[in-house]
Structures are given as structure tokens and as C-alpha cells.
Amino acid sequence: MRARLTLLAALLAALLYAAFAAGAARQPGEAWFEIAAAVLALAATASALLGGPISARAPRGAWWGVVLLALFVAWSGLTLAWSIAPDRTWEELNRAVSYALVAGLGVLVGASVPRAVERFAAGWLVLVSVVALYALGGKVVPGWHVSGLFDLDQTGVVARLRAPLEYWNALGLLCALGVPVAVRTAIDTGRGRLTRLAALQSLFLLATVIGLTYSRGAVAAFVVGGVVLAVWGNGRLRGLIALGAATAAAAAPLAVAFGRSGLRDNGVALAVRAHEGRILGVVIVVAGLALLAGGLALLRFEPRAQWSGDRTRRVFRVGAAVAGVSVLLGAAALARSQRGFSGSLTHAVQGFTQVREDRQFDPVRLISTNSGNRYVWWKEAVGAWADRPVGGWGAGSFALLHLRYRHDGLLVTQAHSVPLQLLAETGVVGLLLVAGALLALLAAALARTRALRSGRERDLAIALLAACAAWLVHGFYDWDFNIPAVTAPVLAMLGILAGRPDPRPRAPALAAVPGERFAAAGAGIGVAALVAIAVIASAALPWLAASKADAAAETAAAGTPAALDRAAAQADLAARLNPLSTKPLFVAAAIAVARKRLLDARAYLLRAADRTPEDPQVWGRLAGLAVQLADRRGYLLATERLFVLDPHNPVAEAQASRALEFLAPPAGSATASGTPLVAGTSTPATPPG
């Protein structure tokens, strides 16, 4: 029993680490999360093979989901053959591996841990509440810190809540994933009053933090989770009451935070933010106490309330009628407006599709209808997919695809839509594998949830499914698949629900000879260990290479000959650790320039061009170096390639204009002859299809 609970606790600890490691979406947090997943998977696999407390006897549908994720891992690795961003493809491959491992761990936990759903849900609610408290601390007590542990001055530059995930939409989504569990816990009549009131306060905290992220996607996820709870399971009306009460209590703190410049504006001095934070803290405490008093009153009234299912259905019918009337009144108001009904809709559509500066730091954006320029990025993703529909351009390649397909000066590295980005990067094959894996896990989870008897475990299973539904909806609007802190928990939830053992009796397995059983287990553990070592090495090498490259740049900053020599050696080591990345070569080229070795610098940049010939940054650097070398032909070649790969880059446009001036016969340059830039113009392999 202890080993099973340890596995569950370790899985929750890994998810908590991912949240506090900037979402595990960048190094070194990403590498450590992937290593942790590999170690946990190896330990669990060894226990299952040796007949220990961890069992792999889960429903077949659950393992089908894991197998499809493993096939997506293989496909992501295969896209390296034609990827235009091989270094990013390697990182995406490692992330996909961690997702398959987390889903498999979820299945093992669901199949092995007694009351796995209830225990995971309780741990998940505590985890999300801790993250939300940390985030809110940046508003209420900015500047408070404990040396070596944390510093709550996260709102000094940007007032919009984003820490510890470092992305406001991800923080809002993570909080929304905890809301259904908080609601179910708050209305569970079988729990003590303190537990239910604590869950209600947690719901209030999550609603407040979601509002302070200014994230419309998180609000949509919040609503989706509430809707799923309202249409499925027990205590639907009581759940809506708890959700409404917590949301109403959050209205006062949000009004204060939105209305005071010291809490709303960016770059406010610490003293001002601390003063305003104290005011906000008082309002939060008062609102929380009011919610607590209301919750106590409802708990006292609850035993005396006589409420039937017919009354609940009548309330929902009345609510639906009110919603319908509200829609009709809204349509009538639009019809009587200056633009008229059709004109108002046309204006809203135009606002959604137009490219404009997004007021991303203004709370008013919560009621705006623009897409935050997402529509443009979605068009770019669709255009890229149409050109390579089967295999895509390589996992993780959208950052370069955006430069090629954009028609404006916006800079972005993600398509802000999980399915569209999968299509552009991994083609139809990649999207079908991911969608198939999620559907297989979801189908198995639904089947196991329906088989449960009415009670706490079934209610919490529905709450976890509501969280998964919220993630699915949010994923159409953002890049959640690239953020392990919000995607790994959902895969763990689906795995745990899908992996619950089937209560129906199963045929006993044929007994194996002890020697044969241990021999087979030993062979399986050996294979699992080799795979784990490969996964750990694959996760660690890009991180080590990047850290060595950063260290080389810091060493070179000293500027002394000895420091430059050491920095050059570090950069060379980084380039060997990650043979796909251009970053170490860029650092090595900069060091060579500092050492007055321009030809060596060009050699490094040409190696970078061989590694990633579709990266415009490589050609921009080569063009700049060609100017220093008075290399007319090299400048023309590099500028032409830069303009092709990033035609709407102002730097590329300026360099293309300057290249026109060089079309006159050259005055002659000793370094211009024999320029080998043509070697870097090779095109990547063509993907299948």
C-alpha cells in the first residue's frame, strides 16, 4: 500500500514542480520534468513486472490511448527527417515522450491505488490552491520573500497575474482545472463542515485568480467545467449555487483590482503596489468571511431543506427560459442599435479577424470580442498545413513557419490552437494520433465512470472529466499542448479514470514457472531501463548544451584573451552536445568575432546554416558578417535567402534594399572570392505525401 501511495504522491509532486518551473515549458524545468517522468515510469514498470504492488491490469482501452501517444512520439521523431527546425523538433519529441509516460503512469495509478480518483482529486485541489495562493501573493504582498525559496515580487513589470507558470492563460487554465473538484468537494454532504468550507474558499480563490489573469480562455474553461457539472452527476443545483456564491464573492476583489491603478498598471513602484496590495488583501479577507458566513448558513439550512428532483428540473427549465429571453432581448437591442443586428455581427466578425494591437494588459479585454490576433496565426497554420498536409513541416517548427507565412510584423512562436499547430507541424498523421489517443483515453474514462455507483468517487470522477472537457475547449484557443504544467495533469486524470480496474471477474492468468517469470521480468526491466536512460539522455542534452552556450557567452563578456579562449572551448562543447542546435554556433561565431577571427566566425555560421537552412536568423547573421568581410557575393546570397524565409521582417527588407546597391560591379575584394555560402542553401528532405 505504501508503494502505491508513494507513486501517486510522486506523480502529484512532479505536476507541482511543473507548475513552479515556469510550466515546464522551457529549460531547465522542462528537462527535469521529463527526467522525473522517466524515473517514475521505470520504477512503476519494474514493480509491475516483478509482481509488486503496482498493477498493469487496466482496461484495454486505457492502454490503447497510451500506445497511440507512443506512436505520436515515434512520428514526431520521424519528422526530424524533414523538419525545418530540427532543434525544436528534438525538444517536442522529448515533450511528447513525457506525455506518453505521464498517461501511462496515470493508468498504473488508476489500476493500482485504492480510491485513486478520490485521492488524486484531493491532492490536485491542494496543488492548484497552492499555485493560486502563490500567484495572488504577487498582488497582495508584493516584495515579500524568503531567501532561497521564493520572492513574491512577480507583478513589478507586468501587473497581470502569470506566475509561477509565467503565462497568464496557462495560470488561468490551471486554476480552471481545479474548479470542478472544488465544487464537488464543497457540496459533498458526506464530508465534514471544515472540509466543505475549505473547498468553498478554494473555489473563491481560484475564481479570483482567474479574473486577475485577464484570460478570456480561462473564463471559458471555467464556464465549461461548470456546465459539465450542471448537466451530469448529483447535486447539480447545489453545485451551481456554490459556483455562483464563490464567483459573487470574487466580484469585490476583482472590482478593486481592476479599478485601482496601483494594482492594474504595469511598472508601478513597489511601495505603491504594497500599499494597494494591503487594500486588496483586506477586501479579499472581507469577501472570504462573507462567503464563509453564507456557506455556514447554507450548511445549517441543508438538513432541513426538502428538495426533490422535480424541483431541480423546474429550476433548470426556468433558468433556460431566462437565458433564452436574455438572448432575445440582446438580439433586439442589437437590432435597435446604430449598426443594426447584421451590422453589429459584421463589426464583431471584423474585430475578430483584423490584425490589431491587443490590449493584453487591460482588464477590459475580458469583454472584448477580438481574437488577440489568433485568427491571423490560425490562417498561417492552415496555409502551412495545406502545403504539406501529410507530414507537416516538423514538430515544433511553427516559429519558423510563422516568419514564412505572415503578412505583418507580428512575432509569435505558437499558433495558439492545439489542433491547427499539430496539423502544421506534424500533418494529418500527427493530429490523428493525438486525437485518437485522447479519444481512446476519454472513451475508457467515460466507460469506467458510468460503471461507478453513485457516490463520492463517481462525483469526483465527473469533476475530473469536467476539467478534461475544459482543457479540450481551451486547447482550440491556445497552445496548451506545449505547456506540460496544464497538459500533463489532464493526461494523468484521463489515465487514472481509464485505468480503474474492471469490477467484473477476469479469467485467471496461466501460472508461469518461477524461473521463467523472473527471467522475463528481468528482461523487461532491462529493456525499460535502457529506454529510460535514452529518455533521460535525450532530455538532458539540449538543456546541457543551452546552459553551456549561456555560460560561454557570460565568460566571453569579460573580454580578456584568456576568457575568450575558455568561452570558445565551452561553445564548442555545447555544439557537440546538441548537434541540431544553432545557438552554440551563434555564440561561437560571436566569440570568434571578438577574437578578430572573422573567417572562423563565418565557418561557425555556415555550420549553423547546414544544421537549420530554413532559419532566417542564420542568414541574417551571415549577411552582417559578410559586410565586415567586404564580401559582396556572400552578402547578396545571405540577404536573398533571408528575404525568402522572412519577407516581412523590417531588417530583411532593409537588407534587400541595400543589396540592390551592391548589384553594380564590385570594386574587388580579396575576401569575396570563393565564398562558400551556397553550401548552406540546401533544402530539407521532402516529407511523405
Side-chain angles (χ1 to χ4, degrees):
M1 183 66 174
R2 182 177 300 176
R4 299 170 183 173
L5 294 179
T6 300
L7 178 61
L8 174 59
L11 178 58
L12 286 168
L15 298 179
L16 180 64
Y17 171 79
F20 277 91
R26 60 190 185 197
Q27 303 293 5
E30 183 176 5
W32 281 116
F33 176 75
E34 291 161 359
I35 291 171
V39 171
L40 286 177
L42 176 61
T45 301
S47 176
L49 290 175
L50 290 173
I54 305 301
S55 172
R57 294 173 66 86
R60 187 175 301 172
W63 287 120
W64 266 117
V66 178
V67 168
L68 287 173
L69 280 176
L71 291 176
F72 175 72
V73 171
W75 180 252
S76 297
L78 185 61
T79 64
L80 272 171
W82 59 83
S83 175
I84 63 172
D87 54 338
R88 294 177 181 268
T89 301
W90 190 0
E91 294 175 359
E92 292 296 322
L93 170 64
N94 290 334
R95 188 177 296 124
V97 170
S98 70
Y99 288 162
L101 293 177
V102 167
L105 285 168
V107 172
L108 292 176
V109 168
S112 306
V113 179
R115 295 164 47 214
V117 173
E118 181 180 350
R119 286 180 164 129
F120 179 85
W124 175 245
L125 181 57
V126 172
L127 185 158
V128 175
S129 299
V130 169
V131 173
L133 276 173
Y134 179 86
L136 190 59
K139 284 279 191 186
V140 178
V141 285
W144 185 49
H145 69 280
V146 175
S147 180
L149 290 178
F150 62 84
D151 185 353
L152 292 181
D153 193 20
Q154 318 104 311
T155 55
V157 178
V158 176
R160 189 178 177 185
L161 288 191
R162 54 179 179 160
L165 281 79
E166 300 305 324
Y167 179 43
W168 32 73
N169 290 352
L171 173 62
L173 175 59
L174 188 74
C175 292
L177 296 181
V179 165
V181 176
V183 171
R184 282 301 185 193
T185 305
I187 65 173
D188 187 351
T189 56
R191 297 184 185 272
R193 285 189 174 184
L194 288 179
T195 300
R196 296 178 66 183
L197 291 173
L200 190 62
Q201 292 296 313
S202 176
L203 187 57
F204 162 60
L205 169 67
L206 297 177
T208 302
V209 172
I210 288 173
L212 291 176
T213 62
Y214 310 169
S215 173
R216 294 168 295 178
V219 173
F222 179 88
V223 172
V224 168
V227 169
V228 173
L229 291 179
V231 300
W232 195 15
N234 298 318
R236 296 175 295 168
L237 184 59
R238 288 185 292 117
L240 288 179
I241 292 173
L243 199 61
T247 303
L254 292 178
V256 172
F258 294 164
R260 302 184 72 89
S261 60
L263 295 169
R264 183 188 64 239
D265 296 344
N266 296 334
V268 177
L270 177 59
V272 176
R273 288 186 289 115
H275 172 71
E276 299 287 351
R278 287 191 288 270
I279 296 175
L280 177 62
V282 170
V283 175
I284 290 175
V285 170
V286 172
L289 290 175
L291 179 63
L292 184 65
L296 282 171
L298 288 173
L299 288 177
R300 292 192 184 99
F301 175 73
E302 189 177 52
R304 302 193 299 272
Q306 299 294 326
W307 201 264
S308 63
D310 290 337
R311 286 186 176 182
T312 298
R313 285 187 286 273
R314 283 199 295 270
V315 169
F316 276 103
R317 292 192 193 101
V318 171
V322 170
V325 171
S326 299
V327 171
L328 291 176
L329 291 176
L334 288 178
R336 295 175 59 85
S337 65
Q338 185 176 2
R339 293 191 180 94
F341 183 78
S342 61
S344 298
L345 291 181
T346 301
H347 178 73
V349 171
Q350 290 176 345
F352 185 84
T353 58
Q354 287 178 348
V355 178
R356 62 176 65 182
E357 184 179 356
D358 185 22
R359 300 169 64 181
Q360 58 180 341
F361 301 118
D362 190 342
V364 176
R365 73 185 311 276
L366 284 169
I367 57 173
S368 65
T369 58
N370 70 80
S371 67
N373 298 316
R374 283 171 168 79
Y375 181 75
V376 178
W377 304 328
W378 297 345
K379 288 174 61 179
E380 294 169 2
V382 171
W385 167 67
D387 287 339
R388 291 188 178 181
V390 177
W393 294 78
S397 61
F398 186 79
L400 298 187
L401 291 175
H402 164 68
L403 301 178
R404 180 178 300 201
Y405 284 87
R406 65 176 175 170
H407 295 282
D408 50 62
L410 297 175
L411 286 176
V412 71
T413 58
Q414 310 291 345
H416 286 70
S417 173
V418 171
L420 292 182
Q421 185 156 335
L422 285 171
L423 275 176
E425 295 181 349
T426 61
V428 173
V429 176
L431 177 64
L432 289 178
L433 288 174
V434 172
L438 293 175
L439 288 175
L441 288 170
L442 184 60
L446 286 169
R448 301 305 308 119
T449 301
R450 289 195 185 99
L452 290 172
R453 298 178 180 177
S454 296
R456 179 178 300 169
E457 187 177 13
R458 189 174 191 274
D459 288 341
L460 289 174
I462 293 172
L464 295 182
L465 286 173
C468 296
W471 179 87
L472 286 171
V473 171
H474 193 274
F476 281 92
Y477 194 71
D478 223 322
W479 47 286
D480 305 329
F481 202 69
N482 296 84
I483 307 175
V486 296
T487 295
V490 172
L491 293 173
M493 293 175 190
L494 288 174
I496 289 171
L497 293 173
R500 290 193 69 262
D502 194 330
R504 293 173 298 182
R506 303 179 62 175
L510 295 176
V513 179
E516 295 179 353
R517 179 166 61 86
F518 282 112
I525 293 172
V527 172
L530 290 176
V531 172
I533 291 172
V535 169
I536 292 171
S538 181
L541 285 176
W543 160 45
L544 291 174
S547 63
K548 290 293 182 182
D550 291 336
E554 293 177 5
T555 303
T560 64
L564 291 174
D565 289 342
R566 291 196 304 272
Q570 289 175 313
D572 285 337
L573 175 60
R576 291 195 299 272
L577 289 173
N578 188 344
L580 302 179
S581 176
T582 56
K583 179 180 178 178
L585 297 175
F586 289 162
V587 174
I591 295 170
V593 170
R595 300 169 78 187
K596 311 299 183 184
R597 300 181 179 181
L598 299 186
L599 295 179
D600 288 347
R602 186 175 64 179
Y604 283 121
L605 293 179
L606 289 173
R607 286 175 59 192
D610 286 334
R611 288 185 176 185
T612 313
E614 304 292 320
D615 187 353
Q617 187 179 179
V618 175
W619 301 102
R621 290 173 181 262
L622 276 167
L625 186 60
V627 172
Q628 298 183 57
L629 289 167
D631 182 357
R632 172 183 172 276
R633 181 169 177 266
Y635 181 82
L636 292 174
L637 287 170
T639 299
E640 178 186 9
R641 193 67 179 147
L642 170 63
F643 191 73
V644 168
L645 296 174
D646 191 6
H648 290 278
N649 186 335
V651 175
E653 294 176 352
Q655 289 189 345
S657 299
R658 186 176 181 184
L660 294 176
E661 302 173 3
F662 288 179
L663 291 178
S669 168
T671 58
S673 61
T675 303
L677 287 180
V678 180
T681 61
S682 59
T683 57
T686 302

